[in-house]
Amino acid sequence: MSALTPASSSAIPKAEIHMHLEGALESELLVVLAKRNGIPLPSYDPEVLDARYRFGELQDFLDVYFGNLAVMRTAEDFHDLAALYLRRARENGVVRAESFFNPMVHVRAGVPLAAVMEGYGAAFADARRDGLSCDLILDFTRDLGAEAADDMLTQMAPFRDAFIGVGLDSTEVGYPPMLFREVFARAAADGLHRTCHAGEEGDPEYVRQALDDLHVERIDHGLRAVEDPELLRRLADEHVPLNVCPLSNVALRAVDRIEQHPVFTMLDAGIAATISSDDPAYFGGHIGANFAALEAVGASRDQLIGCIENSFEAAFIDAAERGRHLEALRVAVTG
Ligand code: HPA
Ligand code: ZN
């Protein structure tokens, strides 16, 4: 392997720690599932469906994303979606996957929680048998409120061994982290890891609340932290990882142009930024494409390999596994 193998290459091992399984629903699979379950779609041509993916802001995306999820009905559907993502992830060099799943939307659509967990669980078990290290993280829909999140955590009790942590997603502004203090405390008491979308559209106070009220171990996005130098210093000093998704931020217009992405400011400030794909079916590609987009605007190989190291450091894995991944990365990078 050449010493110059770019960070985006699938030959460089990676951890993907900020992606939503429901966001891996490619249009081809969307059509298959719609036909399988008799659910109407605005078109059955994947190209026409993809052409709808032009978003003005987070909420535009969420409307399409939640609409498409109506096709998910059976354990087989959840299996097929997760299996598709896990295959793509491996093709991109992912050796550790920590994937959000959000059962709230499915349960509210009348899908039994057991079907969701059976399907996702089977795909993850298959991937593990094939040598991929992977785990699920339960995400709560923040705009459904804290009581609904608490109820979901209760419903997940029979599946406690199937996930390793909790997170918060969906509409951010108007639903600050502090609202979810109690459910996150409950999750922590149950030995679950904690992460939270904050600072994607919300101001730096959302990031501060995620730290102080939810005691999260890492932040998903965290972009707007760069507006607050004191917060940025704190995130660096406390080694809080910010799980950045460059193509998502451009697609949802949190960032005007990729060359202006705050990840460069974060890295200059000593922040442990990581790179992931968020919703790869909607934002223009998987984790490799996200690295390639940063390479194309001048991110150095050292900066990006540093982000990969940060992702292994940030991953919810034990020290022995962390050491194995970091050593494999060192070997791949030095050739
Ligand atoms: N932000 C908020 N909610 C989400 C996202 C995101 O990027 N992706 C899936 N749900
Ligand atoms: Zn996300």
Side-chain angles (χ1 to χ4, degrees):
M1 193 59 57
S2 155
L4 294 177
T5 307
S8 57
S9 164
S10 60
I12 304 289
K14 299 175 175 65
E16 177 150 67
I17 62 175
H18 177 177
M19 80 75 59
H20 305 259
L21 287 175
E22 286 87 1
L25 183 53
E26 295 174 18
S27 291
E28 286 78 7
L29 181 59
L30 177 66
V31 168
V32 169
L33 299 186
K35 289 182 176 167
R36 189 194 275 172
N37 294 320
I39 308 286
L41 286 182
S43 165
Y44 294 86
D45 178 345
E47 273 184 36
V48 173
L49 293 169
D50 279 344
R52 298 180 305 160
Y53 297 167
R54 297 189 199 294
F55 310 111
E57 58 172 4
L58 174 61
Q59 193 59 49
D60 296 341
F61 156 69
L62 291 170
D63 292 344
V64 175
Y65 168 88
F66 285 123
N68 283 346
L69 291 176
V71 303
M72 306 292 303
R73 304 300 307 170
T74 67
E76 187 186 8
D77 302 339
F78 292 96
H79 168 272
D80 292 354
L81 174 59
L84 173 65
Y85 165 66
L86 293 165
R87 178 157 55 85
R88 297 266 191 261
R90 296 188 81 175
E91 289 166 359
N92 276 254
V94 170
V95 295
R96 169 67 184 166
E98 295 178 4
S99 315
F100 292 124
F101 71 108
N102 187 331
M104 295 174 83
V105 51
H106 310 300
V107 168
R108 290 169 72 86
V111 178
L113 187 53
V116 179
M117 298 317 295
E118 181 188 331
Y120 283 155
F124 273 62
D126 286 346
R128 274 184 211 117
R129 268 193 297 277
D130 289 343
L132 180 70
S133 171
C134 51
D135 280 297
L136 290 161
I137 297 176
L138 166 66
D139 240 5
F140 303 119
T141 306
R142 62 204 307 160
D143 40 303
L144 292 177
E147 219 172 292
D150 192 70
D151 182 48
M152 191 73 246
L153 188 60
T154 302
Q155 288 187 57
M156 285 298 294
F159 308 101
R160 173 63 187 82
D161 292 342
F163 64 109
I164 61 166
V166 295
L168 268 190
D169 69 17
S170 201
T171 311
E172 181 180 5
V173 174
Y175 303 93
M178 61 177 287
L179 300 176
F180 298 87
R181 209 173 190 211
E182 282 168 28
V183 64
F184 269 62
R186 218 184 122 198
D190 197 19
L192 288 161
H193 291 287
R194 284 121 11 244
T195 180
C196 172
H197 284 58
E200 182 182 16
E201 288 189 342
D203 66 29
E205 176 60 18
Y206 283 68
V207 176
R208 227 176 275 111
Q209 285 185 17
L211 299 174
D212 294 333
D213 291 301
L214 305 189
H215 306 288
V216 296
E217 295 152 272
R218 56 198 202 201
I219 301 273
D220 299 304
H221 295 300
L223 300 183
R224 293 194 59 191
V226 301
E227 295 170 18
D228 183 333
E230 195 183 315
L231 175 60
L232 213 52
R233 251 193 317 277
R234 176 177 175 195
L235 291 164
D237 289 348
E238 296 179 11
H239 305 289
V240 179
L242 300 187
N243 298 331
V244 168
C245 305
L247 292 176
S248 165
N249 302 142
V250 173
L252 301 186
R253 305 190 192 203
V255 170
D256 284 339
R257 297 188 2 218
I258 192 128
E259 47 271 53
Q260 299 162 341
H261 198 285
V263 70
F264 295 105
T265 306
M266 292 173 186
L267 293 173
D268 287 346
I271 299 275
T274 74
I275 308 294
S276 293
S277 68
D278 209 6
D279 299 280
Y282 292 91
F283 301 146
H286 278 266
I287 188 170
N290 278 268
F291 276 96
L294 293 176
E295 284 165 353
V297 295
S300 73
R301 187 167 178 271
D302 283 354
Q303 281 178 315
L304 297 180
I305 299 293
C307 288
I308 298 177
E309 284 170 357
N310 293 340
S311 67
F312 287 123
E313 297 290 351
F316 298 144
I317 50 181
D318 65 26
E321 180 178 346
R322 193 182 322 285
R324 281 197 301 279
H325 291 312
L326 287 169
E327 176 57 14
L329 175 63
R330 193 188 64 73
V331 168
V333 166
T334 54

